[in-house]
Amino acid sequence: MAVSGFEGFEKRLELQFSSDNNSTEPIGIGLREIDFESVEQVLHLVQCSVVSALGNQHFDSYVLSESSLFIYPTKIIIKTCGTTQLLKSVHPFILLAQSLVNLRVTSIRYTRGSFIFPLAQPHPHTNFHEEVLYLEDNIPETLCYRKASVIPSKLTCHSWHVFSADSDHHHIDMPLYTTVEVCMTDLDPTLARKFFRFPNDGKNGDSAGKEMTGITGINRINPNAKICDFAFDPCGYSMNGLDGHRYSTIHVTPEDGFSYASFECVVDSIQNNDDDIMADMVKKAVKVFGPRTVSVATTSATTETCMRINAVLEKQVGMKCRSYSMDDFPAAGTVVFQTFTTRRNNNNNNNRI
């Protein structure tokens, strides 16, 4: 049996919480009160660990051995790559929120792309059906509005998997955000080599990561962001960017044959110029890696956001939109999934799960 390479495509989980109905206590810093030891115990179940951390007045950010974790007062976002068992964090995080800070979960969203090496994934990630069954068994019955869907693409190896669940009293006065998840494959080899370290370079992961952030231009994607970065040995890179209450994150698997990079960011849906800001950040991120194929999943998006992303990738990056699909989900809102390729792309479209 052929040995699989490293799985770059992340699994992403977002948990939204609110005060218990009978609680009159202010939330304050909420989930940020959860002690680091408890967080580490959950990550141990997922099979990853914290390699670097940074926080501000709005949220705590952790770079993981496999991707990232963000903890807000009422929200947890965790994404992990490789063969991690991300969904094993669902029930423990819900219990921690209830027992330590008296918060109950009000909505859940799980997303991922199509794995490059699906046969290497352990339970419960062997396929999307198993993932949905696991989620159904590990979330409270109060999340009664549920939907699971695979949003297809004309490129048969690229699909977007979404599971969303919401309670019947989801707060409509929550801040509205647009989240963009960008998955890039077949990176330009010259650009990908910048994410390899020289043997015995005398640097640690933090210093090597800071150097990669500078030489690749990642620090110019959002100049306002404070960056927490880490370079792995012998190759690979992760960063979290903190810009007020908004985050961004990048993860890179640069090896030939299964090279992959992801970029994710969130902006305020109600801000007039944030569509332009988001489209510009996506353009800059794609140019850092020079991929042959790009998948973009935009959640709670306006039509204008998708049009701007489409325009900058086609006109300024020289890519062609090959597919455009959308679906609606409880709590999550509308998800638009687009795939782009370089005009000379001749990728083999092997089926993925």
Side-chain angles (χ1 to χ4, degrees), residues 14-63:
E14 182 171 328
L15 305 169
Q16 182 72 49
F17 298 82
S18 70
S19 295
D20 189 83
N21 283 337
N22 299 320
S23 175
T24 58
E25 295 293 324
I27 291 177
I29 63 172
L31 296 167
R32 300 178 72 183
E33 290 186 24
I34 297 175
D35 60 278
F36 183 66
E37 182 179 353
S38 297
V39 172
E40 282 188 311
Q41 289 173 356
V42 177
L43 295 178
H44 178 73
L45 296 174
V46 176
Q47 298 184 341
C48 62
S49 58
V50 174
V51 296
S52 190
L54 183 66
N56 61 18
Q57 67 269 36
H58 300 284
F59 65 99
D60 296 316
S61 154
Y62 302 93
V63 175

Side-chain angles (χ1 to χ4, degrees), residues 7-165:
E7 179 61 67
F9 273 90
E10 296 98 346
K11 317 161 183 91
R12 182 187 187 275
L13 177 70
E14 182 171 328
L15 305 169
Q16 182 72 49
F17 298 82
S18 70
S19 295
D20 189 83
N21 283 337
N22 299 320
S23 175
T24 58
E25 295 293 324
I27 291 177
I29 63 172
L31 296 167
R32 300 178 72 183
E33 290 186 24
I34 297 175
D35 60 278
F36 183 66
E37 182 179 353
S38 297
V39 172
E40 282 188 311
Q41 289 173 356
V42 177
L43 295 178
H44 178 73
L45 296 174
V46 176
Q47 298 184 341
C48 62
S49 58
V50 174
V51 296
S52 190
L54 183 66
N56 61 18
Q57 67 269 36
H58 300 284
F59 65 99
D60 296 316
S61 154
Y62 302 93
V63 175
L64 306 179
S65 54
E66 278 80 19
S67 299
S68 293
L69 168 67
F70 302 96
I71 301 181
Y72 288 79
T74 59
K75 181 168 58 178
I76 293 173
I77 300 166
I78 178 171
K79 59 189 301 182
T80 62
C81 54
T83 55
T84 51
Q85 295 167 286
L86 174 68
L87 293 184
K88 290 189 175 181
S89 68
V90 173
H91 191 58
F93 273 138
I94 292 174
L95 290 180
L96 283 175
Q98 180 64 45
S99 62
L100 296 184
V101 292
N102 198 28
L103 294 177
R104 59 180 176 80
V105 64
T106 56
S107 68
I108 287 176
R109 174 159 50 104
Y110 172 67
T111 59
R112 69 166 175 86
S114 298
F115 294 131
I116 300 173
F117 307 106
L119 298 180
Q121 291 296 316
H123 177 78
H125 298 285
T126 48
N127 58 61
F128 188 55
H129 178 69
E130 291 297 322
E131 291 172 317
V132 171
L133 290 178
Y134 187 90
L135 282 162
E136 296 277 6
D137 289 340
N138 284 276
I139 62 177
E141 293 181 358
T142 53
L143 302 182
C144 54
Y145 297 97
R146 305 178 181 185
K147 181 175 180 178
S149 180
V150 178
I151 305 176
S153 165
K154 290 181 180 179
L155 299 180
T156 58
C157 62
H158 292 270
S159 297
W160 196 246
H161 306 66
V162 183
F163 174 87
S164 181

Side-chain angles (χ1 to χ4, degrees), residues 155 157-158 183-189 191 259-261 286-295 313 317-322 339-349:
L155 299 180
C157 62
H158 292 270
C183 302
M184 298 168 272
T185 55
D186 298 313
L187 311 183
D188 181 284
L191 299 175
S259 61
Y260 171 85
V286 171
K287 285 189 172 182
V288 166
F289 300 103
R292 296 183 69 181
T293 303
V294 176
S295 301
L313 290 181
V317 185
M319 305 197 83
K320 177 69 175 177
C321 184
R322 304 292 181 180
T339 53
F340 300 82
T341 65
T342 55
R343 298 180 187 276
R344 64 183 183 281
N345 195 348
N346 294 312
N347 283 344
N348 292 323
N349 291 336

Side-chain angles (χ1 to χ4, degrees), residues 227-243:
I227 291 177
C228 178
D229 39 25
F230 193 87
F232 297 92
D233 191 10
C235 64
Y237 168 90
S238 290
M239 69 77 81
N240 292 337
L242 293 74
D243 179 10

Side-chain angles (χ1 to χ4, degrees), residues 115-328:
F115 294 131
I116 300 173
F117 307 106
L119 298 180
Q121 291 296 316
H123 177 78
H125 298 285
T126 48
N127 58 61
F128 188 55
H129 178 69
E130 291 297 322
E131 291 172 317
V132 171
L133 290 178
Y134 187 90
L135 282 162
E136 296 277 6
D137 289 340
N138 284 276
I139 62 177
E141 293 181 358
T142 53
L143 302 182
C144 54
Y145 297 97
R146 305 178 181 185
K147 181 175 180 178
S149 180
V150 178
I151 305 176
S153 165
K154 290 181 180 179
L155 299 180
T156 58
C157 62
H158 292 270
S159 297
W160 196 246
H161 306 66
V162 183
F163 174 87
S164 181
D166 185 33
S167 66
D168 58 356
H169 41 245
H170 185 64
H171 290 286
I172 62 174
D173 58 345
M174 289 172 52
L176 297 176
Y177 299 105
T178 295
T179 303
V180 167
E181 300 170 69
V182 182
C183 302
M184 298 168 272
T185 55
D186 298 313
L187 311 183
D188 181 284
T190 301
L191 299 175
R193 277 196 291 272
K194 296 180 180 180
F195 297 96
F196 282 80
R197 292 174 59 177
F198 291 105
N200 304 314
D201 60 9
K203 301 168 186 169
N204 59 28
D206 294 311
S207 60
K210 189 173 298 295
E211 183 176 287
M212 287 182 185
T213 299
I215 64 175
T216 59
I218 287 174
N219 58 341
R220 295 190 291 275
I221 293 175
N222 179 7
N224 297 322
K226 190 172 183 180
I227 291 177
C228 178
D229 39 25
F230 193 87
F232 297 92
D233 191 10
C235 64
Y237 168 90
S238 290
M239 69 77 81
N240 292 337
L242 293 74
D243 179 10
H245 59 274
R246 304 185 296 189
Y247 72 86
S248 59
T249 184
I250 287 176
H251 304 284
V252 187
T253 302
E255 294 96 325
D256 289 341
F258 48 92
S259 61
Y260 171 85
S262 66
F263 171 73
E264 178 181 328
C265 65
V266 61
V267 298
D268 300 313
S269 298
I270 59 175
Q271 296 295 326
N272 292 331
N273 66 334
D274 270 8
D275 286 347
D276 291 320
I277 292 172
M278 177 172 279
D280 187 61
M281 286 194 291
V282 171
K283 175 190 71 175
K284 291 176 180 176
V286 171
K287 285 189 172 182
V288 166
F289 300 103
R292 296 183 69 181
T293 303
V294 176
S295 301
V296 182
T298 311
T299 303
S300 295
T302 63
T303 304
E304 289 77 12
T305 301
C306 297
M307 289 175 62
R308 284 173 170 80
I309 291 174
N310 189 308
V312 298
L313 290 181
E314 289 206 340
K315 296 179 181 179
Q316 299 184 41
V317 185
M319 305 197 83
K320 177 69 175 177
C321 184
R322 304 292 181 180
S323 185
Y324 182 106
S325 305
M326 63 187 299
D327 204 346
D328 293 319

